Amino acid sequence: MNQKTIERVFDSLAKANYLSDALTVLWHAGEPLTVGIEYYERAFAVIRERTPPGVRVIHNFQTNGTLLNSEWAKFFRKHGATVGLSLDGPQHLHDRNRRTRRNQGTFLQAIRAVEVLKQENVPFHVITVLTRNSLRSARELFSFYLEIEASDVGFNIDEIEGDYVSSSFETDRSTDECMRLFFEEIYDLCESNPGKLRIREIEGALHAIMDPESVAYGNPLAEPIRMLNVASNGDLSTFSPELLGYSSPKHGSFAFGNIHEIEISELLGSSSYKAVDTEIRNGLAKCEAECEYFQLCRGGAPVNKYFENGTFDSTETLFCRLTKKAVIDVVLRRLEVALTAV
């Protein structure tokens, strides 16, 4: 993404008056460290110059760690950037799917990044992609996270999305119970090691269940402009960021405009946006009418509905069964046991 595109995005954001008191800029998709530190020094300066007073900007990098060195770690610390490492667990799990174009595993490079971050006192969180094979390794994964001193872990699943037209989880409904058992064991391990590790899915479910105000947070993936997604060429979208770069026979491109041609405030006026928004809202209404989990999950992710079901105007997906319903079941069961014991 060139500097002119960044300038246009933040000029247009300020003009649109969409910003609250804090904005997270997530550098993601592809490997963000490939463009080098000097690129981000310039980009950060551009963003600072164009951000209105009183708005705190947090930069977050999601990286596979293969290029991360002490210079990068010092840069993160200097700017207070948060760092997420894509790390799928111990070497035999990580290297199964995270491989170079020469078909070599990347675990050793990722672990080298972990050591650099620890040496430079830069905290980091981990994103792990679970496959069916991973579900048998809850204890091994948990021990691994403690060993590398990760502060937080989030679990994604091997999902059907875009060019990925199959998943190791889609064979039958038995995977739902396997996922529940996985999170049961992870929950046990968290309780046995209090304060050692935060699990994104468990923390999110606890918050949704126990805080009556949590419903006001809504669903950023299904609400316009909660997330603004910008491609390297300036294409713009909202809703699930994974939609950017894809199109459909019905809707055409899921990019609803380009920052070099429109203002962000004009994005919601495009006919393509309106058609997608209507379909997403219809799907949310069906979720609310049909699904007992709706008050806690707020309707799931549009990208999964589209790529799994062929339309945004739909309900249950593999993603919501395994990352929402299964986790909520585990947390509710634990809370019921705790309340019974009081």
Side-chain angles (χ1 to χ4, degrees):
M1 184 182 295
N2 63 42
Q3 299 293 314
K4 181 59 69 176
T5 299
I6 297 172
E7 291 173 10
R8 279 285 300 130
V9 168
F10 281 85
D11 282 340
S12 190
L13 265 179
K15 189 184 300 184
N17 197 29
Y18 284 148
L19 298 175
S20 63
D21 59 351
L23 171 70
T24 298
V25 180
L26 176 56
W27 302 94
H28 200 347
E31 174 45 52
L33 304 194
T34 56
V35 293
I37 290 173
E38 289 185 8
Y39 171 88
Y40 289 106
E41 291 285 13
R42 294 194 302 272
F44 284 18
V46 165
I47 292 169
R48 276 195 305 272
E49 291 167 2
R50 287 162 170 77
T51 302
V55 177
R56 183 168 63 100
V57 176
I58 305 111
H59 291 279
N60 178 274
F61 288 79
Q62 185 64 36
T63 172
N64 61 28
T66 57
L67 300 176
L68 202 155
N69 55 27
S70 59
E71 286 74 25
W72 274 111
K74 289 179 173 68
F75 169 81
F76 296 144
R77 193 175 64 237
K78 170 186 172 182
H79 291 282
T82 58
V83 183
L85 284 177
S86 301
L87 189 53
D88 291 348
Q91 187 165 8
H92 72 97
L93 292 174
H94 179 92
D95 281 350
R96 186 186 297 269
N97 295 302
R98 292 194 184 272
R99 309 186 70 80
T100 67
R101 291 176 181 175
R102 296 180 179 178
N103 201 32
Q104 296 174 329
T106 59
F107 176 81
L108 295 180
Q109 292 165 289
I111 286 299
R112 189 159 54 245
V114 167
E115 293 306 318
V116 168
L117 292 171
K118 287 161 62 175
Q119 288 167 12
E120 297 292 341
N121 295 313
V122 177
F124 62 93
H125 62 269
V126 168
I127 297 293
T128 290
V129 176
L130 294 174
T131 65
R132 197 178 178 101
N133 288 317
S134 309
L135 298 189
R136 296 189 291 267
S137 304
R139 187 170 297 274
E140 185 181 8
L141 283 166
F142 194 89
S143 296
F144 173 74
Y145 302 136
L146 293 188
E147 180 182 344
I148 65 172
E149 300 176 25
S151 59
D152 298 74
V153 174
F155 292 111
N156 294 343
I157 64 163
D158 163 27
E159 56 192 305
I160 299 167
E161 187 179 285
D163 297 329
Y164 298 92
V165 296
S166 64
S167 166
S168 62
F169 289 112
E170 67 179 320
T171 51
D172 56 61
R173 289 270 173 169
S174 67
T175 56
D176 297 50
E177 186 57 25
C178 291
M179 186 65 79
R180 290 187 189 93
L181 292 172
F182 173 83
F183 275 104
E184 286 277 8
E185 190 165 4
I186 291 290
Y187 204 120
D188 282 338
L189 292 164
C190 286
E191 288 192 328
S192 301
N193 298 270
K196 294 289 188 181
L197 191 65
R198 288 168 51 89
I199 304 297
R200 180 187 63 188
E201 287 69 29
I202 292 174
E203 295 287 332
L206 279 167
H207 179 66
I209 293 165
M210 298 181 69
D211 182 0
E213 303 299 320
S214 66
V215 68
Y217 182 69
N219 182 348
L221 296 174
E223 298 169 21
I225 307 298
R226 289 287 297 277
M227 302 180 75
L228 177 69
N229 312 310
V230 187
S232 58
N233 67 349
D235 280 348
L236 301 170
S237 76
T238 187
F239 307 122
S240 299
E242 299 90 345
L243 289 169
L244 189 56
Y246 289 103
S247 60
S248 77
K250 179 178 179 179
H251 297 293
S253 173
F254 291 126
F256 304 130
N258 187 285
I259 194 61
H260 298 291
E261 299 169 0
I262 66 169
E263 297 291 340
I264 290 170
S265 58
E266 300 175 88
L267 191 69
L268 307 190
S270 75
S271 57
S272 56
Y273 158 76
K274 290 178 180 177
V276 169
D277 181 54
T278 297
E279 202 169 289
I280 287 175
R281 288 175 186 271
N282 289 342
L284 291 177
K286 287 181 178 177
C287 285
E288 185 171 17
E290 299 173 13
C291 181
E292 61 185 342
Y293 296 81
F294 179 79
Q295 291 301 315
L296 302 178
C297 92
R298 309 305 298 170
V303 67
N304 296 99
K305 290 184 176 184
Y306 180 77
F307 284 114
E308 289 189 38
N309 301 332
T311 176
F312 299 112
D313 184 5
S314 59
T315 55
E316 186 182 76
T317 63
L318 187 69
F319 172 82
C320 75
R321 278 171 37 210
L322 299 182
T323 69
K324 297 294 183 180
K325 294 181 178 182
V327 181
I328 290 168
D329 286 346
V330 168
V331 173
L332 279 173
R333 192 152 55 223
R334 291 309 184 97
L335 290 174
E336 288 169 358
V337 170
L339 288 171
T340 302
V342 172

